[in-house]
Amino acid sequence: LSAAELTEASYKRIAETDERIGAFLTLNEEGARARAAELDRSGAEKGLLHAMPAGIKDNIVTKGLRTTCASQFLTNYNPIYDATAAGKLNAAGAVTIGKLNMDEFAMGGSNENSSFRPVRNPWNTDYVPGGSSGGSAAAVAAGQVYFALGSDTGGSIRQPASYCGVVGLKPTYGLVSRFGLVAFASSLDAIGPLTKNVEDSAYVLQAIAGHDGMDSTSAEVAIPDYVSSLTGDVAGMHIGVPKEYMGQGIDPKVKESVLAALKVFESLGATWEEVSLPHTEYAVAAYYLLASSEASSNLARFDGVRYGVRADNPDNLLDLYRKSRSQGFGQEVKRRIMLGTYALSSGYYDAYYLKAQKVRTLIKRDFDQAFEKFDLLLGPTAPTPAFRIGEQIGDPLTMYLNDIVTIPVSLAGVPAISVPCGFVDGLPVGLQLIGKAFDEATVLRAAHAYE
Ligand code: GLN
């Protein structure tokens, strides 16, 4: 197949399905067609992702292609540069089909916080696809693109992957450059692939990983050959199952699928044992304090002056800021900005932000200790399968608890993948495999052997 044919097939599928699903916010038809024609013409060596139709979450900036973060604030924002990850996809030969819907500024876990429209789960359109990378997961699940990039701050790649029955990888913090990712919580944000299978995940990671001088938190580590680490061999691997990830709040049927997956690992020669990550119960509280604090600072740049939508008829400069921000941000974003501003204000800083930072250290230590003994940790990706659209929207606390088993991993900064491990009540559920920092090769190898 030529790049042109693959590109056309992608747009055809989008035309057939996206009215129902709502995965795309902006299509890149002209750009993608020109690019495909150029790839077909060029005699240059083919890249790792040659001609592959890709979708990019709309908080990853793309040169000349509208990037909205699913916010009314950025409906007119056309970036003048590519995020490093987007540039690397281009260099590897991928074709950018368009920009994918998400929760506004990546805040949410159901895609209902998109200011344009919610995304619907391709398996059952009455259900949410998860979030915040819901458009990325749904587009891959619906066969609209070959793979997608998402971002994960507290579970936003893994949880939608679980709900949509696709593979989602959150790399180690710092492995993939954040340059050009519109910041939500800078100490947690990670870009990663959503794919149909683990092999594709390894290919995309190979293309986007690596040190970048444009991101001061980008790690200077050697990038292994992820694809060749997919040997199918997990014999002798020792897996820890955090008991906190299999207890209260986890749907018993989800737990059953995880136990069935453990049987598969046993049959492949791996061993497993229960382990405790004792500070898990504090993770959600610490995360929402830290992530909201960082967000309140990061989102200060949206002032209606430099870029984005500017409110009409302000009385003065302060009024311009106030009006632009009141009109531009949605409810959940405002909730986080207020929470974060409060937590960082003098008099409260020690009680909230500093305390949450200390809890984060304890959570990281839980993982360090577990990894002294285990090669890998395993559990569910989310406590339940997808829920109905509208079911949790009035209840932010319940919504926040959906990330109870992805958030600790984000706080520790370690890599984790979600791979489909069956169906509960007709909806897909995911298995989460968690690795040591920068040991994506083991995570991918185990996921591939299981899949
Ligand atoms: N659902 C979580 C939140 O609302 C995680 C979001 C994310 O990872 N971007 O913050």
Side-chain angles (χ1 to χ4, degrees):
L1 286 178
S2 66
E5 285 169 307
L6 286 167
T7 302
E8 290 319 317
S10 182
Y11 285 120
K12 180 160 175 276
R13 182 82 183 147
I14 292 168
E16 287 163 3
T17 54
D18 211 44
E19 205 170 310
R20 216 160 20 98
I21 298 189
F24 279 89
L25 292 176
T26 306
L27 292 176
N28 181 35
E29 291 187 79
E30 216 178 297
R33 289 193 168 114
R35 161 108 174 116
E38 184 192 305
L39 284 169
D40 285 334
R41 253 195 329 267
S42 151
E45 203 186 316
K46 292 188 167 77
L48 210 50
L49 304 175
H50 180 78
M52 291 294 121
I56 299 185
K57 187 177 182 180
D58 211 20
N59 59 349
I60 297 170
V61 305
T62 41
K63 190 173 174 182
L65 185 60
R66 188 174 79 134
T67 300
T68 67
C69 295
S71 178
Q72 291 305 308
F73 221 131
L74 293 176
T75 47
N76 62 359
Y77 176 47
N78 272 307
I80 53 168
Y81 67 106
D82 270 328
T84 298
K88 284 188 174 226
L89 288 190
N90 281 333
V95 176
T96 301
I97 295 296
K99 303 300 293 288
L100 292 161
N101 206 346
M102 53 184 283
D103 285 299
E104 186 177 0
F105 288 106
M107 298 174 187
S110 70
N111 241 279
E112 294 164 291
N113 295 339
S114 166
S115 79
F116 293 94
R117 58 176 287 192
V119 179
R120 292 175 177 273
N121 192 313
W123 292 90
N124 182 334
T125 50
D126 293 334
Y127 285 76
V128 304
S132 62
S133 311
S136 304
V140 173
Q144 296 175 334
V145 285
Y146 212 81
F147 72 91
L149 291 187
S151 72
D152 189 311
T153 303
S156 277
I157 289 175
R158 293 161 284 160
Q159 184 254 33
S162 170
Y163 287 7
C164 290
V166 301
V167 173
L169 172 69
K170 181 201 88 79
T172 308
Y173 180 79
L175 182 71
V176 177
S177 170
R178 290 186 297 111
F179 181 68
L181 170 66
V182 178
F184 164 11
S186 314
S187 77
L188 295 157
D189 295 342
I191 293 177
L194 291 106
T195 54
K196 282 262 190 206
N197 58 47
V198 176
E199 192 180 356
D200 291 351
S201 188
Y203 272 101
V204 180
L205 183 66
Q206 200 81 57
I208 61 175
H211 180 252
D212 178 17
M214 300 300 280
D215 170 4
S216 63
T217 60
S218 166
E220 291 195 54
V221 289
I223 304 301
D225 186 336
Y226 298 116
V227 180
S228 67
S229 69
L230 308 178
T231 58
D233 182 14
V234 293
M237 194 180 270
H238 197 35
I239 300 172
V241 179
K243 69 169 199 264
E244 293 79 5
Y245 292 15
M246 295 289 269
Q248 223 190 9
I250 309 295
D251 182 329
K253 290 185 202 156
V254 169
K255 206 167 136 177
E256 256 172 56
S257 336
V258 174
L259 291 171
L262 280 168
K263 289 260 181 300
V264 174
F265 278 104
E266 276 177 1
S267 75
L268 295 170
T271 53
W272 69 274
E273 206 181 316
E274 199 175 82
V275 62
S276 176
L277 302 175
H279 297 94
T280 302
E281 62 173 307
Y282 308 112
V284 171
Y287 167 86
Y288 277 95
L289 261 157
L290 296 171
S292 301
S293 297
E294 293 186 33
S296 72
S297 166
N298 276 324
L299 269 57
R301 72 187 57 151
F302 299 104
D303 56 7
V305 174
R306 285 168 286 191
Y307 51 92
V309 176
R310 180 178 301 177
D312 293 329
N313 305 320
D315 296 335
N316 50 46
L317 185 62
L318 198 63
D319 192 45
L320 170 69
Y321 297 156
R322 193 183 295 127
K323 280 207 174 102
S324 300
R325 290 170 70 82
S326 311
Q327 292 163 14
F329 291 136
Q331 200 185 12
E332 182 62 25
V333 177
K334 287 177 184 162
R335 184 174 6 250
R336 308 255 181 140
I337 292 174
M338 285 190 286
L339 177 65
T341 307
Y342 180 80
L344 289 177
S345 53
S346 79
Y348 297 103
Y349 180 91
D350 288 5
Y352 297 118
Y353 183 79
L354 199 63
K355 187 66 134 292
Q357 286 287 36
K358 289 178 178 166
V359 172
R360 181 176 185 176
T361 302
L362 294 174
I363 287 167
K364 186 176 175 301
R365 262 184 222 160
D366 284 354
F367 281 91
D368 290 345
Q369 271 160 19
F371 282 126
E372 279 172 19
K373 185 162 172 196
F374 298 102
D375 304 304
L376 204 68
L377 301 176
L378 178 154
T381 304
T384 64
F387 45 90
R388 277 178 187 278
I389 293 176
E391 192 180 314
Q392 298 189 4
I393 194 71
D395 185 1
L397 274 183
T398 304
M399 192 81 91
Y400 294 173
L401 287 174
N402 294 322
D403 290 325
I404 191 154
V405 280
T406 47
I407 277 175
V409 177
S410 296
L411 290 170
V414 295
I417 199 167
S418 178
V419 275
C421 70
F423 289 82
V424 166
D425 305 328
L427 291 163
V429 289
L431 177 74
Q432 185 177 207
L433 302 175
I434 307 162
K436 299 175 186 169
F438 300 107
D439 194 11
E440 278 75 6
T442 299
V443 172
L444 287 163
R445 179 157 57 94
H448 174 72
Y450 166 74
E451 182 183 55

